[in-house]
Amino acid sequence: MPELVFFSGTMDCGKSTLALQIQHNRSARGLQGMIYTRDDRAGEGKLSSRLGLATEAVEVADDLDFYDHVVQALTAGGRVDYVIVDEAQFLIPPQIDQLARVVDDLELDVFAFGITTDFRSKLFPGSQRLVELADRVEVLQVEALCWCGARATHNARTVGGEMVVEGAQVVVGDVNRPESEVGYEVLCRRHHRRRMTAAGERAAALSPDVLPVD
Ligand SMILES: Nc1ncnc2c1ncn2[C@@H]1O[C@H](COP(=O)(O)OP(=O)(O)O)[C@@H](O)[C@H]1O
Ligand SMILES: Cc1cn([C@H]2C[C@H](O)[C@@H](COP(=O)(O)O)O2)c(=O)[nH]c1=O
């Protein structure tokens, strides 16, 4: 039975790597997939992983209708055995409905990869719709870790190493950027709630004790 599967997790937990592995394993068996992404850090029309692998992909904009796009590929004589969509959090909700239609009406597996929540721990609209419609939501096995060693469950946006909570929902960026740049850091809920980043923790550890110690 074909499925709409949402592979979800924090930033930097291996979603794009898994997307590339699924694509590799299926193409090694002669299957052909349609690969889509939106606003990958590596640039337009790329699906890239931090492990250094990348593949060509169709760059999605708001006006792309997934169902029509796959039907067009099939009617032009192309072969489509499955669909992969990376950075699915950036899709608009109607596009998730289109993906569900690809599964139900065209009987193709659709594998969507994305982060669930933004830097304010609010659902992205695309991810919300995926949680609503997916046959399965899979949390990735490799856990990204907070600086304290706990499992990272939340994404923080950082400016100068400090966590910020104001700003646009979408700002393409990466983890492990120099502190001077806008970047991201994955945190456990406890430290996301307290807005405690690795840089904040280092600064606190270095600050002199307030009370004199004999
Ligand atoms: N130099 C490295 N050596 C081994 N693994 C790495 C290295 N750099 C990144 N990774 C792995 O790649 C993962 C990030 O993969 P990626 O697919 O880009 O993540 P996502 O798409 O979820 O943001 C990291 O969690 C880590 O496991
Ligand atoms: C938390 C958060 C992230 N983003 C952006 C930053 C990256 O470009 C992508 C996530 O990519 P990854 O492959 O999962 O690392 O999303 C954003 O725009 N807004 C946010 O709040």
Side-chain angles (χ1 to χ4, degrees):
M1 196 75 165
E3 286 184 315
L4 173 58
V5 188
F6 181 29
F7 292 95
S8 178
T10 59
M11 289 179 69
D12 199 26
C13 72
K15 301 179 300 298
S16 302
T17 306
L18 181 61
L20 288 161
Q21 287 174 317
I22 290 176
Q23 193 261 339
H24 174 82
N25 290 353
R26 285 173 180 245
S27 69
R29 292 289 179 232
L31 299 173
Q32 282 182 27
M34 291 288 292
I35 316 293
Y36 298 93
T37 190
R38 181 164 189 166
D39 290 336
D40 189 289
R41 284 178 303 276
E44 200 164 297
K46 295 259 184 280
L47 189 172
S48 73
S49 134
R50 291 181 181 83
L51 283 180
L53 297 169
T55 189
E56 299 294 309
V58 176
E59 182 72 24
V60 177
D62 284 355
D63 61 358
L64 183 136
D65 183 314
F66 283 98
Y67 181 81
D68 288 352
H69 199 261
V70 175
V71 167
Q72 269 170 31
L74 290 167
T75 26
R79 183 169 160 188
V80 183
D81 297 305
Y82 62 96
V83 171
I84 285 176
V85 188
D86 200 17
E87 307 294 353
Q89 71 276 2
F90 294 148
L91 303 183
I92 57 172
Q95 288 175 321
I96 309 300
D97 289 68
Q98 294 155 19
L99 291 174
R101 193 172 170 210
V102 169
V103 176
D104 297 341
D105 296 359
L106 303 179
E107 302 196 341
L108 299 177
D109 280 317
V110 174
F111 306 109
F113 299 82
I115 54 177
T116 320
T117 53
D118 68 9
F119 68 112
R120 277 189 281 240
S121 69
K122 299 288 180 200
L123 287 165
F124 282 92
S127 306
Q128 178 183 341
R129 195 69 186 132
L130 270 163
V131 170
E132 289 163 354
L133 288 188
D135 294 288
R136 279 189 290 137
V137 178
E138 296 281 344
V139 178
L140 267 72
Q141 294 280 318
V142 181
E143 31 179 63
L145 299 179
C146 178
W147 57 264
C148 69
R151 183 187 176 99
T153 47
H154 289 71
N155 304 297
R157 184 178 291 161
T158 56
V159 176
E162 300 279 327
M163 179 171 151
V164 295
V165 290
E166 299 295 329
Q169 185 175 50
V170 177
V171 175
V172 174
D174 205 351
V175 295
N176 299 323
R177 302 305 302 155
E179 274 185 23
S180 53
E181 293 178 18
V182 176
Y184 290 93
E185 181 176 336
V186 293
L187 297 174
C188 66
R189 188 195 57 238
R190 185 182 305 264
H191 289 126
H192 195 275
R193 283 183 51 244
R194 294 175 184 166
R195 301 186 192 178
M196 279 188 71
T197 60
E201 162 62 11
R202 275 195 302 274
L206 289 173
S207 32
D209 290 329
V210 179
L211 296 173
V213 178
D214 292 331

